[in-house]
Amino acid sequence: MSVGDENDTFVSLNCPMMGFATLVRFEYDIIKDILEAAFEVLGEHLFVKLTVKDLIWGYEEPLLKFVNDAAKSRNISLGLDDHFGLFYGQNGSNDGLYTIYTGVKDITQAYSIQKWNGNESLPYWETIWCNAINGTDGSLYHPFIKKSETLRLFATDVCRSLYADYEGDRTVKGIDVYRFVPPAKMFGDIKTNPDNIGFCTPNITECLGSGVLNMSACKDGAQIVMSSPHFYQGDPDYVNAIEGMHPEKDVHQTFLDVEPISGVLLSAAKRLQINIAVMPIPLISSTAKFKNLTFFPVLWLNESALINDATAKDFKSQILEPIKILDAVKYGLITIGAFILFCTIVFTIKYWVQRSRTRGGELQINRGDYDVLRDGENEQQDGE
């Protein structure tokens, strides 16, 4: 939850205006002239003053209303809404239908997503690998997590599957966890990670640098580019292009803290930055200030989760302590079994040693008796 108020105001990029300008960048000059005139009539400016609530949940945008009204007057339906917001219409909305594996046949597949909205893959990207739906929703994983594993999750807000590698051990509310973080190569350029070539849209000639993802393919053509906050792990050119960018690992890194025995997520932070692609567009005067393609940050999100004290206490008493007791019983039984086996071996060896000695003594006595008898016979013969 933000510490600020939704009614706080700030100056932000006019996203609808930039969107229309980008939309006509390859059109005839007369189309650009008409759009430029519309901007002037409606008093549109490249930067606008908005409340946090307006930017996130939506507000009525005069430009969108003007375009819709003009289209309707000619019996044309554009399917546009008069409102704009980065998460307009998504507050409390359904994230889709998930089909997941139970893990009955393979425990390592427990809670993994098999289908999303009835589909086993995505339709947005250019390769099978990039369109694959992998992992869970990120809230729960299979039991007995190993440090050598790569944890995978499917995130609808970025329209792709993500992954994280083990970074180190942590403690959350007195519970030992493994921390997993996304590697830099996940959003790496195609030189760093050739598998990412499928995220180059609208085709493989439109590849971006490290640390950013072009979302236009799954956002109805909107020039939205996702990144980590302050372009953390991104191309230095993106960081240096915007004044005030100071990427820091502790503040801007996404992480998952997973209890390894149960696979339960106890602490996490998903940190993303929403940027708008801006560029100079001929005949659109407001874009002349941009010298080249730039990703302009609009806002960044920190969706964090942390197990509370009461739940942590229940988790330790109802899950971890019984497991520890079972481990103690297991090792205790192993110790007792080993002791019994040792005693059995010792007693067996002692028994056979004693038996061997007893048999050896009987043979000596019999031999002695035989010698005595022979001596007696000799004496009788001498007497005769």
Side-chain angles (χ1 to χ4, degrees):
M1 181 177 292
S2 174
V3 296
D5 191 282
E6 283 190 337
N7 293 316
D8 289 344
T9 60
F10 67 104
V11 176
S12 178
L13 183 72
N14 189 335
C15 297
M17 179 183 179
M18 194 65 220
F20 276 108
T22 304
L23 190 65
V24 303
R25 68 187 185 279
F26 299 126
E27 298 294 338
Y28 293 111
D29 288 351
I30 189 171
I31 302 296
K32 298 174 186 175
D33 289 337
I34 293 174
L35 185 62
E36 176 73 1
F39 288 161
E40 292 181 5
V41 170
L42 296 172
E44 293 287 341
H45 300 282
L46 190 59
F47 293 93
V48 292
K49 191 174 184 180
L50 298 171
T51 66
V52 175
K53 182 179 180 180
D54 288 342
L55 181 63
I56 294 177
W57 305 122
Y59 63 96
E60 186 176 81
E61 168 56 46
L63 180 60
L64 292 174
K65 182 174 176 55
F66 171 78
V67 172
N68 267 333
D69 290 343
K72 288 177 182 179
S73 66
R74 292 168 176 77
N75 295 321
I76 299 174
S77 177
L78 298 177
L80 293 176
D81 197 295
D82 293 347
H83 293 75
F84 170 80
L86 294 175
F87 297 98
Y88 177 66
Q90 298 182 33
N91 192 10
S93 60
N94 192 336
D95 193 32
L97 178 64
Y98 290 84
T99 303
I100 66 172
Y101 289 102
T102 61
V104 172
K105 295 182 178 180
D106 183 0
I107 191 63
T108 62
Q109 291 296 314
Y111 315 116
S112 294
I113 300 169
Q114 181 188 20
K115 296 179 181 180
W116 177 61
N117 287 335
N119 299 309
E120 294 184 352
S121 62
L122 301 172
Y124 309 123
W125 312 111
E126 303 298 318
T127 63
I128 295 175
W129 188 89
C130 293
N131 278 319
I133 297 176
N134 297 319
T136 72
D137 66 350
S139 62
L140 195 63
Y141 287 92
H142 65 81
F144 309 112
I145 297 291
K146 298 178 182 178
K147 296 179 179 180
S148 59
E149 287 188 60
T150 293
L151 297 188
R152 302 184 183 277
L153 65 147
F154 173 59
T156 57
D157 47 3
V158 294
C159 307
R160 62 163 290 183
S161 296
L162 308 173
Y163 52 92
D165 293 332
Y166 171 81
E167 184 189 59
D169 291 357
R170 297 288 190 279
T171 301
V172 177
K173 304 287 186 179
I175 302 171
D176 294 332
V177 298
Y178 292 166
R179 171 160 290 188
F180 287 81
V181 300
K185 70 175 184 178
M186 187 178 73
F187 284 128
D189 59 25
I190 58 173
K191 292 181 180 179
T192 305
N193 186 358
D195 289 333
N196 283 345
I197 194 170
F199 295 117
C200 299
T201 58
N203 55 63
I204 61 174
T205 65
E206 301 290 336
C207 293
L208 302 179
S210 292
V212 296
L213 176 66
N214 183 356
M215 301 288 293
S216 61
C218 69
K219 297 298 182 182
D220 298 322
Q223 297 299 302
I224 296 176
V225 175
M226 285 287 190
S227 70
S228 292
H230 288 240
F231 299 107
Y232 171 70
Q233 293 183 328
D235 192 312
D237 289 343
Y238 301 148
V239 179
N240 298 329
I242 304 295
E243 185 177 348
M245 296 290 100
H246 302 290
E248 298 180 30
K249 176 181 177 180
D250 293 340
V251 181
H252 303 135
Q253 184 184 54
T254 292
F255 66 83
L256 304 171
D257 288 340
V258 183
E259 197 287 309
I261 298 176
S262 64
V264 174
L265 190 72
L266 300 187
S267 174
K270 182 172 69 175
R271 293 158 174 165
L272 295 172
Q273 180 170 289
I274 299 176
N275 312 280
I276 301 297
V278 295
M279 63 199 78
I281 299 172
L283 303 180
I284 305 296
S285 60
S286 57
T287 66
K289 299 177 182 178
F290 302 110
K291 298 185 181 301
N292 46 43
L293 176 65
T294 304
F295 302 131
F296 192 91
V298 177
L299 62 80
W300 70 271
L301 312 170
N302 181 7
E303 297 182 15
S304 301
L306 176 65
I307 189 172
N308 58 44
D309 293 337
T311 305
K313 182 179 179 180
D314 291 340
F315 185 86
K316 285 187 282 188
S317 63
Q318 298 178 19
I319 296 179
L320 295 185
E321 289 182 5
I323 291 175
K324 290 180 180 179
I325 293 173
L326 288 175
D327 281 342
V329 171
K330 177 180 70 176
Y331 290 116
L333 291 175
I334 291 174
T335 303
I336 293 172
F339 177 74
I340 293 174
L341 178 62
F342 174 76
C343 291
T344 301
I345 293 172
V346 169
F347 285 129
T348 300
I349 293 173
K350 184 176 180 181
Y351 169 76
W352 284 106
V353 169
Q354 289 178 343
R355 185 173 180 182
S356 297
R357 288 179 178 177
T358 302
R359 287 183 176 179
E362 289 176 352
L363 290 173
Q364 291 176 3
I365 292 172
N366 292 338
R367 190 179 297 113
D369 291 343
Y370 177 76
D371 292 339
V372 172
L373 290 174
R374 291 295 300 272
D375 291 343
E377 291 177 356
N378 292 336
E379 290 177 359
Q380 290 179 1
Q381 291 176 359
D382 292 340
E384 292 179 354

